[in-house]
Amino acid sequence: MTPKLYKAGEVCELLQVQPYVLRSWEKEFPGIEKLSRISAMSPTSLKTKFKKYYGETLFGYYQKNKLEHARKLLDNKVPVKVVATEIGYSNPSHFTLAFKKEYGFSPWHYLNPQ
């Protein structure tokens, strides 16, 4: 199957959104409406094109990036509760569930592999 080719303007619009999502990891998800204004695309068009181009939904991309930052903090031996708070989780158990869903093991097992 041949990958879908995008017009230069569409790629530029997507490339405006992607760094914004990457910089938002310590905050709440910016929201489709705000991202669609940044990209000058309709919310539906943005969601569809972003997923086709990056292979992830906008929120999924945001979540993976957020958890990647968490993993880096854990690599520096930052305690799990601090990491959870640092990346925006009010409850460490919610962070643990998200981390386990993404990586297949809990943050505690990541810190203490056996």
Side-chain angles (χ1 to χ4, degrees):
M1 185 169 160
T2 306
K4 181 176 178 351
L5 298 176
Y6 290 87
K7 297 175 189 167
E10 290 176 338
V11 173
C12 289
E13 292 162 347
L14 290 173
L15 291 176
Q16 289 176 13
V17 170
Q18 187 256 1
Y20 189 85
V21 173
L22 289 177
R23 287 190 307 268
S24 299
W25 66 268
E26 74 281 357
K27 301 177 241 166
E28 287 185 22
F29 179 67
I32 299 297
E33 291 299 323
K34 183 173 189 169
L35 295 173
S36 68
R37 284 192 303 275
I38 290 168
S39 68
M41 299 168 100
S42 73
T44 302
S45 183
L46 173 61
K47 289 189 286 187
T48 302
K49 290 176 182 176
F50 192 93
K51 184 165 184 170
K52 285 183 182 178
Y53 193 78
Y54 289 102
E56 282 288 336
T57 64
L58 280 157
F59 186 76
Y61 192 82
Y62 162 81
Q63 186 71 4
K64 281 184 183 263
N65 182 54
K66 189 175 192 163
L67 291 171
E68 182 61 25
H69 282 282
R71 197 176 57 75
K72 289 176 185 174
L73 291 170
L74 292 170
D75 285 342
N76 289 315
K77 306 298 184 214
V78 176
V80 173
K81 287 182 180 180
V82 174
V83 171
T85 303
E86 188 76 22
I87 66 165
Y89 285 90
S90 58
N91 187 328
S93 64
H94 293 153
F95 164 63
T96 298
L97 288 172
F99 192 92
K100 190 170 184 175
K101 182 178 178 183
E102 180 65 25
Y103 296 111
F105 43 82
S106 73
W108 287 277
H109 284 110
Y110 182 76
L111 285 172
N112 304 301
Q114 297 179 12

